[in-house]
Amino acid sequence: MSVAALVTIALLALVAIFAPLLVDWLSLSAIDPDREHGLNQYGVPVAPSAQFWLGTDFVGRDVLSRILLGARNTFFIAIVSALAAILIGTCIGVIAGLYGGIVDTIFAAIIDFVIALPFLVVAMAVVVIHGASVGVLMLTIIVFSWSTVARMVRSLVLTIREMDYIKATKTLGATDLRIVVRHILPNIAGPVLTYGSLLIPQIIVMEASLSFLGLGIQPPNPTWGGMIAENQGNYAIAWWSIFFPGVALLISTLSFNLLGDGLRDAMTPGTRLRGRTRAERRSR
Amino acid sequence: MSRNEIALSAEAVSKRYRTRGKSLTAVDNVDLTLRSGETLGIVGESGCGKSTLAKMLVGLESPDDGEVRIEGKTMARGVRRFMATSRKVQMVFQDPYTSLDPRLTAGQIVREPFEIHRGVLPKAQREKRVAELFERVGLSPDHRNRYPAEFSGGQRQRIGIARALALQPKVIVCDEPVAALDVSVQAQVINLLAELQRDLGISYVFIAHDLSVMRQIANRIAVMYLGSIVESGPVDRVFDYPLHPYTQGLIDAVPVPDPEKAADRSSTLLGDVPSPLRLPSGCRFHTRCPIAEPSCSEQIPQLVPHRHEEHLVACEVVTGATSN
């Protein structure tokens, strides 16, 4: 199951990377309205056909071409934001967990504060103040994503730092940096990677929600959430214009979730031998 | 190195922990000396402060009062103290399943001391030295690329010993090194430790609750009860002529593997260890002591020699009865 998810993600990533080429090859309008070809004589979007495989949207643009371009935006935002959130969350979680005391209390308070904030309300306020742009969108997503990573990393570090192998390394004269890089990070990498792959679909949905509300990437540049938003008035006569972006969202979030589950299952039994894990992966 | 040189000593060390406003005295005013090349055993029930004492001896905890001296020099305090102590004192831990990093190979674990102390050995010689250490502790050097999970408990403990040996310390503090192992494996690990002592002249502080293990390896032992030493002396003397009623209780509690011999349960320890949060007044043991007198709850007994210059006991009743 998780292998299928991994293959799907790889395909989606290829699509995202080569989207402009594919769109050129389709040579249908993706950004500019095309009322001449994309709408019939009554101004109704064209249904899926030999020319427009997934139909057209409310101004006659090709839905497939826009989904391809949207994949690029969506994946870029999701992956970069997830990496940034994991990086920040891991740093803060490690510092809070390792040093404890007042440092931990302060960081724990900040983490709880961020987790308690209502995402959409704050995101809308930020966009109203700073205007909508990719940068502001990603920054908002990162601010809301690092805290859960930090909380998880903190609790992992609290467990690991009490392990005898950390004490043994200390008595050998190791610096804190060495203990973190050599012993703590490798031991939390599994859960953090797993969480990261579960964070990506969350961010895809966050981005879709914000774009749906007009707070994300600005039209005519496509994102999946934005496509659903701009076509929602037409769903009764052109279901395809919101159905297919929805399917794209579903497939990608589902794949990342399944991959995350698979990673978690592969990493949870801590005592499992590495060789055997590899062999199992091969046989699956 | 002469046998009378003092490798490690603790002078009046105390350690207190605060929990919810209460103060818990884990180790109370303990004096200890470890001579070069000898094994000093520390016995006592769970929670008597053995492990806290061990942590103070290697510097993982700083004493609240008193000081630990390595070869006569006071152990430094502060973040970088281990840079100096690590080449003199090392530790072998109780649980071989948490004392090795599961993400490193056995070879990487044993090589780490050389990576921290870069000056000890040039890079080119490290791998060879790691292989030697593996052989020294009875492991095949070919197993260096395996992960800890691929070894048995006894083999893991050998890896831990190899890591402790890497920097050629004078003293190794063993905190219940065989308690987590099967009986047959215990003997192998103890034989290995004895062999290393013979060949390398290492001194051990050996902590255990198993008295039969103690008799095999220790030269001198100290018996701890609720953070204090109640009796200490040469191991045979303490086992054959136990003075303190607590020591007698511990020795009588050891099962005798002879069905013909009726177990003498007259001095079996009764009751539970009092909470270290509320230590009994006077002698800590008077609440469970079969020979306690009213005065025992008033005065804290001092550790004094009795009948033998090296056999010390902290019991007013024992020392008082014979001096009268």
Side-chain angles (χ1 to χ4, degrees):
Chain A
M1 207 52 188
S2 35
V3 174
L6 192 64
V7 171
T8 312
I9 289 167
L11 282 177
L12 284 169
L14 281 177
V15 165
I17 292 164
F18 295 109
L21 291 176
L22 291 169
V23 170
D24 279 352
W25 177 72
L26 286 168
S27 68
L28 297 166
S29 181
I31 303 293
D32 298 319
D34 185 2
R35 295 192 165 79
E36 202 179 323
H37 305 97
L39 298 177
N40 67 13
Q41 69 261 44
Y42 308 109
V44 174
V46 176
S49 63
Q51 191 189 4
F52 300 100
W53 294 350
L54 301 183
T56 63
D57 73 356
F58 69 114
V59 285
R61 295 172 295 197
D62 181 36
V63 170
L64 177 61
S65 302
R66 285 180 68 73
I67 287 177
L68 295 178
L69 288 181
R72 201 178 166 80
N73 289 329
T74 301
F75 273 69
F76 173 75
I77 291 171
I79 290 171
V80 173
S81 312
L83 286 178
I86 288 170
L87 196 71
I88 297 169
T90 305
C91 288
I92 290 180
V94 166
I95 293 170
L98 193 62
Y99 293 106
I102 185 81
V103 181
D104 185 31
T105 311
I106 291 169
F107 277 125
I110 296 174
I111 291 169
D112 286 342
F113 174 72
V114 171
I115 288 174
L117 287 176
F119 171 64
L120 279 179
V121 175
V122 176
M124 285 163 83
V126 169
V127 171
V128 167
I129 295 164
H130 294 284
S133 73
V134 179
V136 170
L137 176 74
M138 285 169 58
L139 217 60
T140 314
I141 290 173
I142 293 166
V143 165
F144 276 92
S145 307
W146 70 266
S147 51
T148 42
V149 180
R151 190 146 77 168
M152 182 189 68
V153 169
R154 175 182 166 271
S155 68
L156 289 170
V157 172
L158 283 179
T159 320
I160 291 174
R161 75 164 190 189
E162 294 306 323
M163 291 286 184
D164 283 343
Y165 60 82
I166 299 294
K167 288 180 198 149
T169 315
K170 266 191 199 166
T171 61
L172 287 169
T175 57
D176 286 350
L177 184 69
R178 178 178 193 90
I179 288 172
V180 169
V181 172
R182 188 100 164 130
H183 298 281
I184 291 181
L185 289 183
N187 278 292
I188 63 171
V192 169
L193 272 180
T194 307
Y195 186 77
S197 66
L198 297 172
L199 188 62
I200 288 176
Q202 282 179 36
I203 292 178
I204 291 177
V205 173
M206 278 187 193
E207 182 273 326
S209 321
L210 289 178
S211 297
F212 179 83
L213 294 171
L215 309 173
I217 287 179
Q218 292 304 293
N221 206 354
T223 70
W224 297 341
M227 289 172 72
I228 296 172
E230 58 198 18
N231 289 295
Q232 59 176 329
N234 293 348
Y235 75 93
I237 51 166
W239 55 269
W240 53 86
S241 58
I242 61 168
F243 177 74
F244 291 113
V247 168
L249 263 177
L250 180 72
I251 291 176
S252 55
T253 50
L254 194 62
S255 302
F256 275 109
N257 276 318
L258 288 173
L259 177 71
D261 286 350
L263 281 176
R264 191 184 51 211
D265 291 348
M267 309 235 188
T268 318
T271 53
R272 202 191 270 190
L273 307 184
R274 287 202 162 186
R276 205 202 296 162
T277 322
R278 263 188 217 130
E280 277 177 1
R281 224 176 279 149
R282 238 179 275 129
S283 69
R284 222 177 266 170
Chain B
M1 207 183 324
S2 110
R3 258 214 146 196
N4 290 322
E5 240 175 88
I6 289 172
L8 184 70
S9 64
E11 279 160 34
V13 291
S14 297
K15 184 74 193 174
R16 286 177 285 274
Y17 295 104
R18 279 183 202 297
T19 47
R20 281 179 241 118
K22 286 179 189 162
S23 174
L24 182 155
T25 308
V27 174
D28 189 14
N29 201 17
V30 164
D31 286 294
L32 213 64
T33 51
L34 175 71
R35 295 174 201 139
S36 292
E38 78 164 354
T39 299
L40 172 65
I42 298 177
V43 287
E45 286 166 286
S46 311
C48 71
K50 296 173 294 191
S51 287
T52 307
L53 183 60
K55 282 181 191 159
M56 285 194 285
L57 293 177
V58 294
L60 280 170
E61 296 273 10
S62 300
D64 291 324
D65 291 316
E67 58 182 27
V68 174
R69 288 167 179 255
I70 305 172
E71 293 172 334
K73 288 190 215 98
T74 304
M75 184 183 278
R77 295 187 180 222
V79 195
R80 304 292 289 153
R81 64 180 177 279
F82 291 117
M83 238 14 217
T85 62
S86 55
R87 297 184 61 180
K88 305 238 163 83
V89 186
Q90 274 300 316
M91 185 154 180
V92 171
F93 293 85
Q94 172 175 4
D95 184 354
Y97 291 88
T98 61
S99 64
L100 306 178
D101 187 337
R103 297 276 162 194
L104 296 185
T105 64
Q108 286 172 321
I109 289 168
V110 178
R111 200 184 310 121
E112 188 162 35
F114 303 118
E115 288 166 5
I116 295 168
H117 298 262
R118 285 163 199 278
V120 174
L121 209 61
K123 229 175 190 165
Q125 291 173 30
R126 286 179 196 161
E127 205 48 51
K128 194 170 146 263
R129 181 86 184 105
V130 171
E132 284 169 14
L133 283 164
F134 266 65
E135 272 176 22
R136 180 77 258 198
V137 298
L139 291 170
S140 162
D142 301 338
H143 292 173
R144 274 173 294 167
N145 292 325
R146 294 195 181 172
Y147 287 90
E150 296 169 67
F151 291 96
S152 69
Q155 288 174 316
R156 283 164 153 253
Q157 203 56 294
R158 286 168 193 268
I159 298 170
I161 293 169
R163 171 178 59 193
L165 285 176
L167 296 173
Q168 298 176 300
K170 303 268 184 349
V171 178
I172 295 182
V173 176
C174 306
D175 185 6
E176 304 243 18
V178 296
L181 304 176
D182 291 343
V183 178
S184 58
V185 182
Q186 284 189 358
Q188 294 170 13
V189 171
I190 286 174
N191 288 342
L192 171 67
L193 288 170
E195 189 187 307
L196 292 170
Q197 182 165 55
R198 205 168 50 236
D199 297 351
L200 306 171
I202 297 172
S203 326
Y204 296 122
V205 173
F206 194 97
I207 292 170
H209 60 262
D210 186 339
L211 295 179
S212 49
V213 165
M214 223 25 129
R215 203 155 190 175
Q216 282 180 58
I217 192 156
N219 302 113
R220 290 191 304 134
I221 68 166
V223 182
M224 274 185 91
Y225 184 75
L226 280 178
S228 308
I229 292 179
V230 295
E231 181 165 1
S232 71
V235 68
D236 292 333
R237 185 118 194 132
V238 173
F239 275 104
D240 296 338
Y241 309 102
L243 293 173
H244 198 280
Y246 178 63
T247 316
Q248 286 167 2
L250 281 183
I251 291 170
D252 286 345
V254 176
V256 183
D258 183 355
E260 301 290 311
K261 261 188 196 166
D264 173 21
R265 292 276 176 252
S266 60
S267 54
T268 303
L269 291 172
L270 301 170
D272 290 323
V273 185
S275 163
L277 284 169
R278 274 176 288 111
L279 288 176
S281 61
C283 174
R284 269 83 205 259
F285 189 59
H286 81 261
T287 53
R288 298 168 77 192
C289 185
I291 58 167
E293 290 175 3
S295 62
C296 289
S297 60
E298 285 154 24
Q299 211 172 3
I300 298 180
Q302 297 298 307
L303 201 57
V304 291
H306 186 68
R307 285 188 185 149
H308 183 286
E309 56 170 335
E310 288 207 5
H311 194 169
L312 281 66
V313 63
C315 178
E316 301 277 331
V317 178
V318 169
T319 49
T322 45
S323 61
N324 286 344

